[in-house]
């Protein structure tokens, strides 16, 4: 039997963008956007990419589902934006430097937003989900598919005409593993609305149905274990093969500094028709931070060994 090592990692957009949801007017929006930019620069994704790459290579991850893979842009002239920080490119380069090359699959948009910054260029962010497959893993990609959830959350702000549509998405790849197939699914569910989150879970289960082949689902479900609501045939990797502790995966400070503040478990690896033989949380220890002391993300990474 073949064991594949899978992981889920929310990379963190780099700033707490939810602070713009409650602004009262356009002037406050510009000021808050400036603070978002300052925080984004402070959380320094290029150095975090190096730390994340070291973790994935150290753990020998074959396939990883990523969330909040951001692409930040600035307006260089009226009507024309230029990408100035590309999380995916930074991470792929860091992985290659760390000794492992990965290919990108099932890349799909999951968040879009932008604002004008007082005294600066306009800025915008486009978030993605992505699946990375390690080239040396020997896994072949047979097919892939992506989709956006039909039920999403609209945030109505106090700024006239400003409505933020938080799209969420999913993607899967069918992998060839020693003559067999396995479906690896990556998803990111709504954080701020229980009803929307539950509908997205149910929509995902319909979209990924694959009778006759094992399925592994990874992602940020934005829900605690007692409420996440996955069907019984999907085994929670941490529950059956973790170290028995609570295994928190989310909660570092927005500026990624200080002692670990992980408090809740909302990131999961689920397996159906496959055996989980090991599961651990990484990216939560002080020695795994960047040279400047930043946590790699506001989430930890969940790594699991799945035997087919």
């Amino acid at each position: 039997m073949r064991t594949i090592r899978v992981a889920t990692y929310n990379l963190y957009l780099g700033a707490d963008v939810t602070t713009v949801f409650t602004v009262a007017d356009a002037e406050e929006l510009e000021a808050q956007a400036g603070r978002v930019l300052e925080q984004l620069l402070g959380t320094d994704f290029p150095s975090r990419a190096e730390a994340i790459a070291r973790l994935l290579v150290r753990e020998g991850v074959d396939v990883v589902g990523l969330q909040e893979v951001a692409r930040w842009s600035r307006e260089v002239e009226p009507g024309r934006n230029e990408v100035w920080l590309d999380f995916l490119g930074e991470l792929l380069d860091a992985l290659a430097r760390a000794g492992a090359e990965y290919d990108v699959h099932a890349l799909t948009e999951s968040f879009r937003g932008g604002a004008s910054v007082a005294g600066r260029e306009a800025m915008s962010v486009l978030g993605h989900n992505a699946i990375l497959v390690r080239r040396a893993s020997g896994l072949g990609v047979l097919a892939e598919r992506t989709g956006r959830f039909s039920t999403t959350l609209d945030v109505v702000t106090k700024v006239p005409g400003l409505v933020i549509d938080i799209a969420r998405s999913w993607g899967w790849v069918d992998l060839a593993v020693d003559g067999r197939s396995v479906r690896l699914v990556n998803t990111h569910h709504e954080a701020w609305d229980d009803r929307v989150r539950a509908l997205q879970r149910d929509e995902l289960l319909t979209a990924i149905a694959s009778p006759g082949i094992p399925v592994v689902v990874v992602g940020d479900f934005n829900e605690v274990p007692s409420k996440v609501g996955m069907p019984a045939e999907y085994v929670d990797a941490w529950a059956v093969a973790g170290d028995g502790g609570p295994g928190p995966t989310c909660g570092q400070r927005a500026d990624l500094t200080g002692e670990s503040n992980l408090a809740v478990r909302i990131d999961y690896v689920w397996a159906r028709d496959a055996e989980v033989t090991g599961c651990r949380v990484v990216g939560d220890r002080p020695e795994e931070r960047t040279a400047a002391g930043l946590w790699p993300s506001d989430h930890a990474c969940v790594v699991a060994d799945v035997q087919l």
Side-chain angles (χ1 to χ4, degrees), residues 117-130:
V117 183
R120 309 170 191 252
E121 307 95 333
M123 58 183 289
S124 61
V125 61
L126 178 61
H128 299 83
N129 295 333

Side-chain angles (χ1 to χ4, degrees), residues 40-41 43-51 85 87 90 94 97 290:
L40 176 63
L41 295 172
T43 56
D44 187 13
F45 186 76
S47 71
R48 295 200 290 119
E50 299 291 339
L85 183 55
F87 281 21
E90 293 281 354
R97 287 191 293 271
T290 70

